Amino acid sequence: MYRFYSYLIFALYLLCCSATLVAQEIKQFKDFGIDNPMSYSFVRTIAQDKEGFIWFGSSEGLDRFDGHQTVSFYHDNNQPNSLTSDVISRLLVDREERLWVGTFGGGLNLYREQTNDFLHFTSKSENRVLSNDTVNALFEDVNGNIWVGTADGLNILTFNGDEWQVKQIRQQLGNPNSLTQHTIQAITQTFEDEIWVGTNGGGISVFDLNGRFVKAIKYGDSTKSQYANKFVSALFADEQGQVWIGTEDKGLLRYSVTTGEFVHYQHQESGTSDLPSNTINHIYQDTNNNIWIATDNGLSIYQFNERLFNHHKHSPQNPYSLSNDYILTIFEDKNQMMWVGTLTGVNSWDPNIATFSQVSSLTTPTINNNKITRFSHLTHETIGFSTYGGWIYTLSIQDTQIDK
């Protein structure tokens, strides 16, 4: 099953899947090589299919890695079924193991394995017409339908057995029972089978699974120009049935679907703060149900049992602190080790000793770019991470060797 040593999945190098590994020194990084096409671009998104292939979406095309070699896919004007754009924004492998490729400017592509090409969903398609060609969010609901958030409207893709149908949902100015703003940033589904759509300036629009508008969620005085969740940056539905809402500049909201009550967490310049910053980059829940909040000024961990936040920031005097306060991504491996990607490298968190171990170009010179973008498991023995420079690194759990 692991015939593809997919130990290169770009997501933040999150590796060290074992508690004993934390105490060991990382020995060696290895890289793809200067002639590898992934070495020249910023990897934005990754996914792994049923065959074990790792797919990397970057600013310069789509790459498939089998553990040994890379196959690249690009837009080709002479090939009508090639990618519609080389700038990849989102990847999604659905429950039927189909690979969806969202792009900036080229709409959506569905990879067809038998013909090794793509079915297109764009604003200019004769059929399968999207509302807009800039794809910001991809999400599969409980019924297997694909929700596509774009820079101008929401789309629901449904397969009827013969062909794909697209339902467009747009903002209707003057209609309060419609999409609250046209630019979609995030999508999630609650335990009550509601689809929450975070927008860039209109708060949250809630739909049922058929795409019917249910309600708008605007915390604070929605009659004013600035309410708390007007600009949504992240959405996360946790295992307890609550929805966490990250915003661009108003902190974090926790919403109880059962009671309809909000709790608003914010950074305060003076006094005790729940957050180190009001700009939320990423939200993640670990296996102990704690909520990890990535901001542009440190990390907060909401301890679910105690209902308290613990804050973590970089300290020049403490080598066991975070390497940088700008947090980009968070990942938990199968041994419950936490990995935190920052602007200056990767940090591993061992819950048993409550300290961070840092890996960066300072500690490991082979790493040529410290800005970590994603983490992922490749196999049971390896973890992968990617950087802004387009480099992909992997780490072997058995011998702690890091490959690039």
Side-chain angles (χ1 to χ4, degrees):
M1 173 178 181
Y2 295 109
R3 63 191 181 95
F4 309 116
Y5 232 66
S6 1
Y7 68 76
L8 210 135
I9 183 166
F10 105 92
L12 276 152
Y13 123 13
L14 190 148
L15 84 229
C16 203
C17 251
S18 111
T20 59
L21 182 62
V22 180
Q24 302 177 17
E25 180 182 357
I26 293 174
K27 299 176 182 177
Q28 180 183 355
F29 276 85
K30 175 185 167 184
D31 98 64
F32 264 132
I34 194 64
D35 57 344
N36 188 281
M38 282 190 289
S39 299
Y40 299 100
S41 57
F42 159 43
V43 177
R44 288 186 173 88
T45 178
I46 61 170
Q48 185 170 21
D49 64 24
K50 67 179 184 300
E51 302 295 337
F53 287 118
I54 306 298
W55 296 82
F56 302 90
S58 75
S59 58
E60 298 180 4
L62 178 69
D63 298 290
R64 184 183 68 195
F65 181 68
D66 67 2
H68 303 285
Q69 60 183 357
T70 300
V71 177
S72 299
F73 299 84
Y74 304 103
H75 172 68
D76 185 343
N77 288 328
N78 298 319
Q79 299 293 331
N81 295 323
S82 66
L83 277 175
T84 53
S85 170
D86 288 336
V87 185
I88 311 302
S89 59
R90 294 288 184 270
L91 294 177
L92 172 70
V93 176
D94 66 21
R95 65 183 62 187
E96 299 296 327
E97 294 295 337
R98 294 174 294 226
L99 175 71
W100 298 86
V101 184
T103 71
F104 288 135
L108 184 65
N109 300 260
L110 175 59
Y111 177 65
R112 297 185 289 197
E113 185 177 5
Q114 289 185 340
T115 53
N116 203 35
D117 61 8
F118 298 89
L119 184 67
H120 299 160
F121 299 74
T122 74
S123 62
K124 301 178 180 63
S125 301
E126 292 184 7
N127 301 306
R128 306 178 299 276
V129 181
L130 286 186
S131 61
N132 184 268
D133 290 331
T134 296
V135 176
N136 294 328
L138 287 176
F139 184 82
E140 182 182 18
D141 68 22
V142 68
N143 293 330
N145 298 324
I146 307 300
W147 294 66
V148 186
T150 74
D152 188 13
L154 181 66
N155 305 263
I156 308 174
L157 278 54
T158 304
F159 190 62
N160 62 12
D162 295 316
E163 60 183 2
W164 287 94
Q165 297 178 338
V166 181
K167 178 179 181 178
Q168 295 186 11
I169 301 175
R170 293 179 179 268
Q171 182 184 22
Q172 302 172 22
L173 295 177
N175 181 2
N177 295 316
S178 70
L179 184 67
T180 54
Q181 211 273 346
H182 62 272
T183 302
I184 312 302
Q185 297 292 90
I187 304 173
T188 193
Q189 179 175 335
T190 70
F191 282 175
E192 310 224 333
D193 288 339
E194 290 182 336
I195 302 296
W196 286 38
V197 178
T199 71
N200 186 36
I204 295 170
S205 299
V206 180
F207 296 87
D208 66 17
L209 291 173
N210 294 315
R212 289 187 291 263
F213 181 85
V214 176
K215 60 186 175 182
I217 295 180
K218 300 179 179 180
Y219 178 73
D221 189 347
S222 61
T223 63
K224 294 183 178 180
S225 60
Q226 295 294 327
Y227 47 91
N229 66 319
K230 184 173 184 177
F231 297 96
V232 176
S233 58
L235 287 173
F236 186 85
D238 69 23
E239 295 295 325
Q240 288 66 42
Q242 303 175 111
V243 180
W244 296 80
I245 305 163
T247 71
E248 293 288 346
D249 58 1
K250 300 294 183 183
L252 179 71
L253 296 167
R254 177 165 57 90
Y255 180 81
S256 171
V257 176
T258 55
T259 66
E261 296 179 345
F262 281 96
V263 178
H264 192 188
Y265 305 103
Q266 285 186 290
H267 171 71
Q268 306 293 339
E269 292 298 335
S270 60
T272 303
S273 291
D274 293 317
L275 298 171
S277 170
N278 287 324
T279 298
I280 309 301
N281 294 331
H282 187 63
I283 303 172
Y284 189 95
Q285 186 171 30
D286 65 25
T287 54
N288 293 318
N289 293 325
N290 300 317
I291 303 295
W292 293 61
I293 311 299
T295 80
D296 64 350
N297 191 37
L299 173 70
S300 285
I301 306 174
Y302 180 75
Q303 305 290 337
F304 207 88
N305 293 332
E306 293 79 11
R307 300 190 180 276
L308 295 172
F309 283 95
N310 290 330
H311 306 306
H312 301 274
K313 298 190 70 173
H314 170 67
S315 173
Q317 292 77 34
N318 183 5
Y320 301 104
S321 67
L322 284 169
S323 61
N324 189 278
D325 287 333
Y326 199 106
I327 314 299
L328 294 170
T329 188
I330 301 167
F331 179 85
E332 182 179 20
D333 68 27
K334 295 176 182 178
N335 289 327
Q336 299 183 8
M337 288 286 295
M338 300 298 299
W339 299 86
V340 179
T342 75
L343 282 180
T344 58
V346 177
N347 302 256
S348 62
W349 168 267
D350 185 350
N352 297 314
I353 57 178
T355 59
F356 288 98
S357 297
Q358 302 178 10
V359 179
S360 69
S361 59
L362 294 177
T363 62
T364 310
T366 311
I367 301 179
N368 72 335
N369 192 307
N370 284 322
K371 298 177 182 179
I372 310 301
T373 56
R374 296 282 178 179
F375 285 113
S376 181
H377 274 289
L378 303 175
T379 70
H380 288 295
E381 299 177 351
T382 53
I383 297 172
F385 69 96
S386 63
T387 70
Y388 265 92
W391 297 95
I392 311 298
Y393 298 88
T394 66
L395 184 143
S396 168
I397 296 171
Q398 288 185 341
D399 61 10
T400 72
Q401 177 172 315
I402 295 178
D403 294 333
K404 171 183 169 188

